[in-house]
Amino acid sequence: MSQEELATKLGFKSRSSINKIELDKQAPRQHMIKAIADALNTTVTYILGVDEEVEKQEQELCDLFSMCYGKEAYAAVQKFLKLDPDDRQDIVDLMDSKLRRDKYQDIKSKGDINITA
């Protein structure tokens, strides 16, 4: 499909927006990616270059983690993964210092948990 045909399908006046997206000069918004995928009769994951099986497995792992440890823990891990390595280390150091408190010493004696970023 040409840029002109795709632009027409999406309701654009010209192909310039499609051209900018293809040349990485303009990032499409989420709704636009979905519209492009629909117009090309494909999936968003294909448009983004994501293997659907990998995406499915990642989602299953996320669901399992959430079920085992709770949504709060899952949300905390998601936030942690967004941090750069230095900030991750700061969080790990803070957790280590908290775990040194007396109220956690009985947990530590059951098996030392080593956390690294």
Side-chain angles (χ1 to χ4, degrees), residues 6 8 16 24 42 49 52 62 88-89 95 97 106 108 117:
L6 182 57
T8 300
S16 65
D24 255 349
T42 190
E52 289 184 40
C62 292
R88 284 184 186 183
Q89 190 58 53
M95 291 170 65
S97 73
D106 61 328
K108 192 171 184 175

Side-chain angles (χ1 to χ4, degrees), residues 1-12 18 21-22 28 31-49 52:
M1 180 180 299
S2 71
Q3 289 179 353
E4 192 69 43
E5 291 169 323
L6 182 57
T8 300
K9 254 187 165 179
L10 296 173
F12 294 145
I18 303 299
I21 292 169
E22 283 187 6
H31 75 277
M32 182 55 60
I33 295 170
K34 174 72 172 123
I36 291 169
D38 290 345
L40 296 174
N41 198 27
T42 190
T43 64
V44 170
T45 54
Y46 179 80
I47 293 288
L48 296 176
E52 289 184 40

Side-chain angles (χ1 to χ4, degrees), residues 52-71 73-75 77-78 81:
E52 289 184 40
E53 187 59 32
V54 169
E55 184 179 79
K56 181 181 173 188
Q57 290 172 351
E58 286 175 350
Q59 186 59 52
E60 288 172 358
L61 285 172
C62 292
D63 293 344
L64 181 61
F65 185 92
S66 186
M67 285 182 351
C68 292
Y69 301 105
K71 293 183 186 233
Y74 176 70
V77 169
Q78 284 183 312
L81 293 174

